[in-house]
Amino acid sequence: MATLTEEQTRQLRDAMERRREMLLGEIAEVRARAEQPARDFASVPDSGDASTTDLLADVDHAAEERDVEELRDIDTAMQRMATGSYGTCIDCGVDIPVERLVAFPTATRCVPCAERHEKTYAGGATPSL
């Protein structure tokens, strides 16, 4: 594990646990909202309202996907804490600075490796026309 004190580790774990509980609540709210439009869809009076309903459902779905992904990142970070590999860069093996972990508790890479990773893989597909 990175050179974190017990107190720093406890604070990071507590912060991740609080965020995890918040995410679970947000996911439950989104799922509850997702059920409501499905029941009321037949009562939508025109196509404009139907489009708005669809858009809101899409936004909720995207928010839920983002929250689920963050929840997975938190669970993975907690597993790394349990195994003693938390705070160590998965690419180069150096300790991730405490300041980075405080700002981004689920970080798996040090800043130089994260930047390298983003430059290499974050571009995504671009149109070829």
Side-chain angles (χ1 to χ4, degrees):
M1 188 179 303
T3 54
L4 297 170
T5 66
E6 284 186 36
E7 179 64 17
Q8 290 168 325
T9 302
R10 186 191 59 74
Q11 289 174 351
L12 289 165
R13 182 182 307 109
D14 290 350
M16 285 190 285
E17 287 173 353
R18 283 190 304 274
R19 181 63 181 155
R20 187 177 194 286
E21 291 303 314
M22 186 182 307
L23 288 168
L24 289 171
E26 290 175 9
I27 290 167
E29 287 176 18
V30 168
R31 288 184 178 168
R33 276 195 309 267
E35 293 175 9
Q36 187 64 32
R39 281 185 257 130
D40 294 342
F41 188 73
S43 67
V44 176
D46 64 38
S47 63
D49 289 342
S51 295
T52 300
T53 300
D54 288 344
L55 175 64
L56 292 173
D58 289 345
V59 168
D60 277 347
H61 182 70
E64 181 182 6
E65 284 181 359
R66 181 199 62 232
D67 289 348
V68 167
E69 183 65 29
E70 186 178 351
L71 192 58
R72 286 182 185 135
D73 290 345
I74 289 170
D75 289 344
T76 302
M78 299 290 273
Q79 288 173 350
R80 287 193 314 271
M81 269 187 180
T83 63
S85 62
Y86 180 77
T88 302
C89 178
I90 62 171
D91 289 343
C92 69
V94 302
D95 288 347
I96 299 172
V98 174
E99 297 80 15
R100 176 163 170 75
L101 293 171
V102 168
F104 183 37
T106 59
T108 58
R109 292 179 173 87
C110 63
V111 172
C113 288
E115 289 173 350
R116 189 176 317 108
H117 182 80
E118 288 170 7
K119 287 178 184 174
T120 303
Y121 297 104
T126 57
S128 60
L129 293 178

